Amino acid sequence: ENVVCTSCDADMVAAEIKTSHVVVPLMMRLAEEHVLAGKDLRCILQYGVGLEGVDIEAATRNKVHVSNIPSYMSGNAEATAEHALHLLLCGLRRPALAQKVFEDGRLGEPLTRQILGKRVMILGFGSVGQEIFKRIVGFSPSEIIALKNSQLLPDELEELRGYLGGSSTLTVKTGEQDIEDLLCDVDIVIISSTLTESTRGVVNRSFCTALKPGAVVVNIARGQIVENEAMCEALNSGQVGFFASDVGCTLNGARNPHFSVSEPFPPSDPLALHPNTLFTPHNGGIADVSYHNMGEIVADTAIRISNNEPPAISVNGPF
């Protein structure tokens, strides 16, 4: 009963944060100016996984805990994986085109594609990437190539291989990889990696050129991983057959100072207008189960702070 909750638009955060002990940024950047304005601020709890929008150094200097909600704790990884499969199936089965054919009174078209027998690359094999793997194997791809920064433990890899059925295989590549050498026979690429200096802009012209012509690319990670103009060129040439994304796709500066540098993504952008693209409004993890669980974690964190305890997760503590 000691917790009071308020909400506000992004342009009011600097004012509201002055009397807040915990702030939960939702689809906005929390900069040093916000941290400095929070005289009583004790915890920044990112409503999700990614912390690139939080000035962690400023928070640390001011002894403010920075916390997040790992996807494996909330059902967010499962929700995002489901959304990745939704985007992929839209790219392969083309429901918008089928709707147009239906409205025109035609039957038996368009010819679409299956996952069956395809080679799939999962770029980023953390919690979300592994949940994607668990689901996509049910569609019987011929091979799944997963790229991961660090080694899986032997029992973790054995557990994942237990999901394989039929003739599907799993190959996990770890450490620094020349990704382009792996792309020539890949039909599907699903991007689920974190945004780092090594992944920023990795889907560029040379990446697209190395792909099997007509490949489907799905991005449910961060927009800055994909270069906008390179993807447009690849779609126009047919090198990429379809691009579906739950995030913006811009590398040339902020669209909105309150948000990450690629979002919100303008629907008037040439990439968004391309007939072989589909964009959704960064709602892959926004589902009933995951949001309920995330809300419980927010409540628990608020109670901990009100009891002068640290959050369950602190990426920059203890203080």
Side-chain angles (χ1 to χ4, degrees), residues 119-192:
R119 294 187 79 226
V120 178
M121 175 180 284
I122 302 176
L123 181 55
F125 205 49
S127 298
V128 174
Q130 290 176 32
E131 292 298 333
I132 292 170
F133 163 77
K134 293 173 186 178
R135 286 155 177 77
I136 203 168
V137 292
F139 293 88
S140 301
S142 62
E143 181 181 11
I144 300 170
I145 305 167
L147 274 61
K148 182 173 173 57
N149 285 333
S150 57
Q151 291 276 356
L152 286 168
L153 295 174
D155 59 336
E156 292 175 328
L157 183 57
E158 187 65 24
E159 179 184 350
L160 289 169
R161 291 195 189 281
Y163 285 87
L164 294 169
S167 59
S168 298
T169 63
L170 169 65
T171 302
V172 180
K173 302 282 188 179
T174 58
E176 292 294 326
Q177 297 285 332
D178 190 344
I179 298 175
E180 293 167 17
D181 289 344
L182 304 172
L183 291 172
C184 61
D185 293 321
V186 168
D187 302 283
I188 295 163
V189 176
I190 303 176
I191 305 162
S192 56

Side-chain angles (χ1 to χ4, degrees), residues 4-306:
V4 177
C5 298
T6 61
S7 63
C8 65
D9 293 333
D11 57 0
M12 293 297 295
V13 169
E16 291 290 338
I17 205 171
K18 292 178 180 178
T19 57
S20 299
H21 297 95
V22 179
V23 61
V24 184
L26 178 62
M27 297 292 180
M28 69 161 290
R29 294 177 64 83
L30 208 69
E32 182 176 17
E33 64 196 67
H34 298 117
V35 176
L36 294 176
K39 301 301 182 183
D40 297 322
L41 188 61
R42 294 175 54 199
C43 180
I44 299 167
L45 173 58
Q46 175 62 40
Y47 201 65
V49 180
L51 289 168
E52 63 270 14
V54 177
D55 192 330
I56 298 175
E57 292 184 1
T60 303
R61 287 194 300 270
N62 289 274
K63 297 185 178 181
V64 175
H65 288 284
V66 176
S67 184
N68 65 350
I69 304 176
S71 56
Y72 66 85
M73 293 176 61
S74 64
N76 180 276
E78 292 86 345
T80 304
E82 289 179 14
H83 196 70
L85 266 293
H86 161 69
L87 293 176
L88 173 58
L89 289 170
C90 286
L92 293 171
R93 306 310 296 260
R94 307 299 297 276
L97 183 57
Q99 179 68 26
K100 178 65 167 60
V101 170
F102 169 77
E103 292 171 355
D104 290 344
R106 307 196 307 273
L107 296 174
E109 53 178 307
L111 177 67
T112 61
R113 292 189 280 172
Q114 295 176 257
I115 300 174
L116 176 67
K118 301 297 192 295
R119 294 187 79 226
V120 178
M121 175 180 284
I122 302 176
L123 181 55
F125 205 49
S127 298
V128 174
Q130 290 176 32
E131 292 298 333
I132 292 170
F133 163 77
K134 293 173 186 178
R135 286 155 177 77
I136 203 168
V137 292
F139 293 88
S140 301
S142 62
E143 181 181 11
I144 300 170
I145 305 167
L147 274 61
K148 182 173 173 57
N149 285 333
S150 57
Q151 291 276 356
L152 286 168
L153 295 174
D155 59 336
E156 292 175 328
L157 183 57
E158 187 65 24
E159 179 184 350
L160 289 169
R161 291 195 189 281
Y163 285 87
L164 294 169
S167 59
S168 298
T169 63
L170 169 65
T171 302
V172 180
K173 302 282 188 179
T174 58
E176 292 294 326
Q177 297 285 332
D178 190 344
I179 298 175
E180 293 167 17
D181 289 344
L182 304 172
L183 291 172
C184 61
D185 293 321
V186 168
D187 302 283
I188 295 163
V189 176
I190 303 176
I191 305 162
S192 56
S193 60
T194 55
L195 178 64
T196 65
E197 287 309 308
S198 62
T199 61
R200 186 183 298 273
V202 70
V203 181
N204 52 22
R205 286 182 176 86
S206 57
F207 183 103
C208 293
T209 300
L211 279 169
K212 183 177 180 179
V216 174
V217 179
V218 174
N219 185 11
I220 47 87
R222 289 293 183 264
Q224 300 95 318
I225 293 172
V226 178
E227 288 190 355
N228 185 310
E229 292 183 3
M231 185 55 67
C232 274
E233 292 171 4
L235 286 163
N236 288 334
S237 70
Q239 184 65 22
V240 172
F242 198 90
F243 175 64
S245 183
D246 189 41
V247 287
C249 185
T250 304
L251 287 172
N252 59 353
R255 296 287 185 178
N256 182 322
H258 295 303
F259 291 78
S260 61
V261 298
S262 62
E263 296 182 284
F265 190 60
S268 59
D269 189 281
L271 187 58
L273 294 174
H274 197 284
N276 292 336
T277 63
L278 171 65
F279 281 87
T280 53
H282 203 148
N283 70 324
I286 300 176
D288 52 356
V289 175
S290 63
Y291 250 40
H292 173 81
N293 294 339
M294 291 166 75
E296 289 190 339
I297 293 171
V298 170
D300 176 73
T301 301
I303 292 170
R304 283 173 172 269
I305 296 300
S306 70

